[in-house]
Amino acid sequence: MTNHKAESITITVVGSGYVGLVASACFAEIGHRVICVDNDEAKVRTLQAGGIPIHEDFLPELLNQHRGGKLEFTTDLRAAAQAAQAIFIAVGTPQSRTGSADLSFVDAVASEIARSIDSYKVIVEKSTVPVYTNEWIRRVIERNGVPKDLFDVASNPEFLREGTAVVDFLHPDRIVVGAATDRASDLLKAIYAPLTSGEYYAAGNRIPGPRQQDEPPPLLLTSTKAAEIIKHASNAFLATKISFINVVANICEAAGADVEDVSRGIGMDSRIGSKFLRAGIGYGGSCFPKDVAAFRNVAELVGVDFGLLHEVERINEEQKLRFFQKVRSALWTFRGKKIGVLGLAFKGGTDDIRESPALDIVQRLIGEGCLISAYDPAAEERAKETIPPGPQMRYVDSPYAAAQDADALLILNDWKEFCELDLERLHYTLRYPIVIDGRNLFDPTTMTSLGFTYLSVGRPGLSQPVDPISVFHAPKKKER
Ligand code: NAD
């Protein structure tokens, strides 16, 4: 964006992961000066040299445009904290062994900020953290000798989704700001003013998305505790929606109904909404599993029984297992079977493999003696760190290479590229035309009419087990 009238604020973002890097690029895009700090020296060197460590649409464009101008990368948190008016903490908050959020990265950053600041700063929780973290950060900073009037701690949870992170950040449904003082909330309002005023959407070279100048995002001002709870509750609710539709899918499968019809019918109710009602192989990723566990842990700590979240987690685990059993019943035996796999990241559009149900299923198949040929448009390098290539695991560079001479093809995430496959080519590439689709990307009637044995999630006819004799002893398809 250029020529905006809003105030330019100096912002430090600590952490250059999916949230920190996207937030940094987007804050620069809306006119602020941004210093992005990470303690991973190799990552910072990559970023300084023009590299892009994660796969995210529009991120390369924004980084190329703003790097060296409004956006800089450093490992020097002290200097960055001193230069900034607002310091956003966007480091990881992984799950600890007890299920609670591990706040050690946040703690380390808060202590370092405390040792650095010499003028008023607003320290902003961008990471997803449990309620009361705000107070706890305040205490850490005070314990380091910083006077109360030299800082505020605010909460500004992030709702971006990997795969559409830049668009989500610049065209959000809402911006939530939890602050205890006007001074802190005024600064955060000023930071987001180019979005909330609609000014950004009037710019000719804006990143396209759903927001327009006359329909800017609302900024919801709350207490810091409410803001913290909003983030955990949002993710827990979305995970609940996914587990809910997965159980409905299992009912559909048993009853011979199509869950896609059912979820359309449910989603048309404006009280419910159609998003996150896609049946599949369960949720994964770096947020839902840990945030559901962390919110459950928060409930326990404050003495509230949130058994619903236990069920959500249990259903999610069972859904992966159910899909695995579906593959087993289709293939009859596993040992020595050659299986093509499409999708390794936890969903399409990202290279993030954290808590990926796809990787979980691939690991189980390898454990059963299968030979895997896997393709993912972006996640191969990261997946190799978890499952190194070897006799049972081959990484290939196209969906057709994954399908080549395979006994079955599994679809484990929802890259757009997979929806656009040449199905005839896929048919003659496979050794047996069995497609087991964990994301319901194809129409069962079309797939059956093309000669595939097609299994998906929660759709008619799928409760009948595949007759392995008829599939494996059927005449081989014509060669091309
Ligand atoms: P990430 O693991 O991708 O990135 C975290 C970064 O912080 C890493 O680059 C790491 O090197 C850096 N870091 C750790 N300690 C540091 C320190 N002391 N100083 C400087 N840098 C440090 O994490 P992420 O996915 O970006 O998530 C960050 C937070 O945002 C988490 O709390 C997460 O729950 C939340 N969140 C994530 C998403 C998402 O889709 N990934 C969405 C919304 C919110």
Side-chain angles (χ1 to χ4, degrees):
M1 188 185 116
T2 49
N3 302 329
H4 68 92
K5 294 178 279 331
E7 185 190 352
S8 174
I9 292 160
T10 301
I11 295 171
T12 282
V13 177
V14 190
S16 65
Y18 288 85
V19 168
L21 187 57
V22 169
S24 297
C26 292
F27 282 143
E29 168 71 359
I30 61 174
H32 303 303
R33 178 186 167 220
V34 183
I35 308 166
C36 181
V37 185
D38 208 290
N39 63 353
D40 180 337
E41 288 179 13
K43 204 182 216 182
V44 170
R45 269 199 305 276
T46 301
L47 286 162
Q48 286 169 334
I52 298 163
I54 56 171
H55 177 93
E56 206 55 67
D57 282 352
F58 297 114
L59 190 59
E61 290 89 324
L62 292 190
L63 292 180
N64 289 339
Q65 192 180 338
H66 300 297
R67 183 190 282 115
K70 291 199 186 84
L71 175 59
E72 61 184 283
F73 297 99
T74 179
T75 53
D76 188 348
L77 175 55
R78 186 185 173 82
Q82 285 174 348
Q85 293 159 269
I87 305 164
F88 285 73
I89 302 178
V91 297
T93 48
Q95 187 172 334
S96 72
R97 270 189 293 121
T98 60
S100 63
D102 173 354
L103 296 173
S104 52
F105 297 114
V106 175
D107 185 41
V109 171
S111 304
E112 208 173 331
I113 291 171
R115 290 193 290 271
S116 310
I117 57 180
D118 51 9
S119 62
Y120 176 77
K121 313 285 170 196
V122 178
I123 297 151
V124 189
E125 301 166 345
K126 194 62 157 162
S127 300
T128 302
V129 291
V131 65
Y132 289 118
T133 303
N134 196 281
E135 263 116 288
W136 176 68
I137 293 177
R138 186 188 314 278
R139 258 183 251 151
V140 169
I141 294 179
E142 275 176 18
R143 233 185 280 135
N144 277 276
V146 181
K148 277 186 173 59
D149 59 355
L150 215 54
F151 74 100
D152 276 305
V153 186
S155 169
N156 171 223
E158 182 48 56
F159 300 98
L160 64 77
R161 295 159 298 174
E162 288 176 21
T164 52
V166 168
V167 174
D168 290 344
F169 194 97
L170 292 170
H171 296 258
D173 287 343
R174 78 301 206 188
I175 295 156
V176 173
V177 169
T181 67
D182 289 345
R183 202 173 178 191
S185 61
D186 286 349
L187 186 67
L188 278 153
K189 281 188 212 162
I191 287 172
Y192 285 105
L195 302 182
T196 54
S197 66
E199 189 191 315
Y200 176 68
Y201 310 107
N205 55 350
R206 71 189 182 279
I207 297 293
R211 289 282 171 199
Q212 303 294 335
Q213 189 179 13
D214 56 357
E215 261 184 88
L219 185 146
L220 177 69
L221 199 54
T222 69
S223 68
T224 52
K225 285 181 191 157
E228 290 164 339
I229 293 174
I230 286 169
K231 176 61 192 178
H232 264 163
S234 298
N235 274 2
F237 188 79
L238 292 171
T240 304
K241 252 184 133 176
I242 295 173
S243 280
F244 182 87
I245 199 63
N246 280 335
V247 179
V248 172
N250 300 339
I251 294 172
C252 289
E253 211 164 298
D258 186 335
V259 71
E260 297 298 319
D261 288 342
V262 173
S263 61
R264 258 193 300 278
I266 304 171
M268 280 175 183
D269 187 325
S270 59
R271 294 169 302 176
I272 298 173
S274 59
K275 295 195 176 143
F276 286 78
L277 282 183
R278 295 287 315 276
I281 54 174
Y283 61 77
S286 66
C287 292
F288 284 3
K290 79 168 174 63
D291 291 347
V292 170
F295 201 36
R296 183 167 52 68
N297 188 266
V298 164
E300 264 166 46
L301 289 178
V302 297
V304 173
D305 179 3
F306 209 159
L308 174 64
L309 294 185
H310 277 289
E311 269 306 287
V312 168
E313 291 173 313
R314 189 192 61 74
I315 292 165
N316 198 55
E317 281 310 302
E318 208 173 281
Q319 196 67 7
K320 287 184 257 185
L321 203 60
R322 229 184 127 88
F323 184 80
F324 182 72
Q325 299 299 8
K326 191 174 281 179
V327 180
R328 186 194 291 280
S329 67
L331 292 181
W332 197 17
T333 57
F334 274 139
R335 189 150 298 280
K337 287 272 160 65
K338 205 176 157 212
I339 298 185
V341 165
L342 299 188
L344 296 167
F346 81 96
K347 64 174 182 176
T350 179
D351 57 350
D352 197 344
I353 53 141
R354 291 178 282 186
E355 302 292 323
S356 169
L359 280 200
D360 182 281
I361 287 162
V362 168
Q363 277 168 321
R364 283 176 206 257
L365 291 169
I366 289 174
E368 295 278 349
C370 295
L371 314 175
I372 308 289
S373 291
Y375 170 69
D376 187 290
E380 179 179 329
E381 289 313 312
R382 285 181 197 266
K384 278 178 178 165
E385 289 163 20
T386 306
I387 312 180
Q392 281 184 264
M393 183 70 180
R394 237 167 35 97
Y395 291 89
V396 295
D397 59 5
S398 84
Y400 305 103
Q404 188 69 50
D405 295 323
D407 294 305
L409 183 73
L410 311 190
I411 301 175
L412 300 183
N413 74 20
D414 54 356
W415 277 92
K416 195 161 165 275
E417 177 181 339
F418 301 159
C419 306
E420 294 160 356
L421 286 174
D422 174 344
L423 295 174
E424 282 197 12
R425 180 173 170 197
L426 192 67
H427 191 279
Y428 64 72
T429 304
L430 282 160
R431 182 165 142 85
Y432 294 104
I434 302 175
V435 173
I436 309 171
D437 180 357
R439 300 292 178 160
N440 289 0
L441 299 189
F442 297 106
D443 170 43
T445 316
T446 311
M447 293 299 277
T448 309
S449 69
L450 286 169
F452 286 100
T453 295
Y454 178 68
L455 307 183
S456 51
V457 181
R459 301 203 281 182
L462 305 182
S463 54
Q464 275 83 47
V466 180
D467 173 2
I469 307 292
S470 70
V471 174
F472 288 108
H473 297 276
K476 184 76 183 81
K477 309 144 293 125
K478 61 181 181 298
E479 303 289 346
R480 300 252 180 136

